[in-house]
Amino acid sequence: MAQSKSRTLPLSKRGMSFETFMWAFTRLTALGMYFFILVGVVGALVMGALNQMSFIEVLRWALVTNPGHVQYTNVADIAPWASMFWRSVASAMFLTASSHGVHGVIVVLDDYFAKASERQWIRILNMLGFFIVAPIGLYIIWTA
């Protein structure tokens, strides 16, 4: 039986193209989101031990660590979550998830447009949307 030749390129011939960078970006942002979820869950468990949080509240704080959009009757209950650290975690999670999502939308829409100019406009519009929405989201996280 004849052995088939390997189809992989040696590392020296691969180079660092835009597609390679975006492939790595997608994987790293997904890992980053897992990391921020883990930080949120651990923090929620620590806070839950102090404040008697339910499992649903723990999951909510893991995914959205923004204290501003929840109405509490007692300000002392929310104080640990309103710190600079948790707002930074929420900001990092927001930026990581939104950039990951924008890249995903661009990849999906690239399949539907045949012309390079159309794909370029779709990319520009998606990036423009990201740069408009990102400051709004950060403003809400830091001022709410």
Side-chain angles (χ1 to χ4, degrees):
M1 180 182 256
Q3 221 168 7
S4 64
K5 248 184 163 178
S6 175
R7 288 193 203 180
T8 59
L9 284 173
L11 195 57
S12 61
K13 291 185 179 182
R14 286 184 202 171
M16 186 63 178
S17 67
F18 181 74
E19 287 79 19
T20 305
F21 172 76
M22 292 313 291
W23 178 88
F25 173 81
T26 303
R27 274 56 182 185
L28 291 174
T29 54
L31 289 174
M33 287 186 293
Y34 288 137
F35 171 75
F36 293 125
I37 289 170
L38 181 64
V39 168
V41 167
V42 169
L45 290 173
V46 169
M47 298 295 167
L50 299 174
N51 300 328
Q52 302 301 318
M53 292 170 70
S54 69
F55 182 68
I56 298 301
E57 289 170 324
V58 170
L59 288 180
R60 188 187 104 29
W61 280 109
L63 299 173
V64 185
T65 55
N66 182 10
H69 69 280
V70 179
Q71 297 296 324
Y72 278 89
T73 56
N74 187 1
V75 177
D77 289 342
I78 198 70
W81 290 106
S83 70
M84 183 79 100
F85 173 75
W86 288 112
R87 290 184 190 271
S88 299
V89 169
S91 298
M93 176 64 168
F94 170 70
L95 291 174
T96 304
S98 57
S99 63
H100 181 87
V102 165
H103 177 255
V105 168
I106 289 171
V107 168
V108 169
L109 290 177
D110 275 353
D111 292 340
Y112 291 100
F113 294 96
K115 295 179 185 172
S117 62
E118 292 173 340
R119 287 194 300 270
Q120 188 65 27
W121 274 107
I122 290 299
R123 290 175 182 171
I124 290 169
L125 290 174
N126 277 290
M127 293 303 292
L128 183 65
F130 172 78
F131 288 118
I132 290 171
V133 170
I136 295 169
L138 292 175
Y139 176 79
I140 290 170
I141 290 170
W142 285 93
T143 61

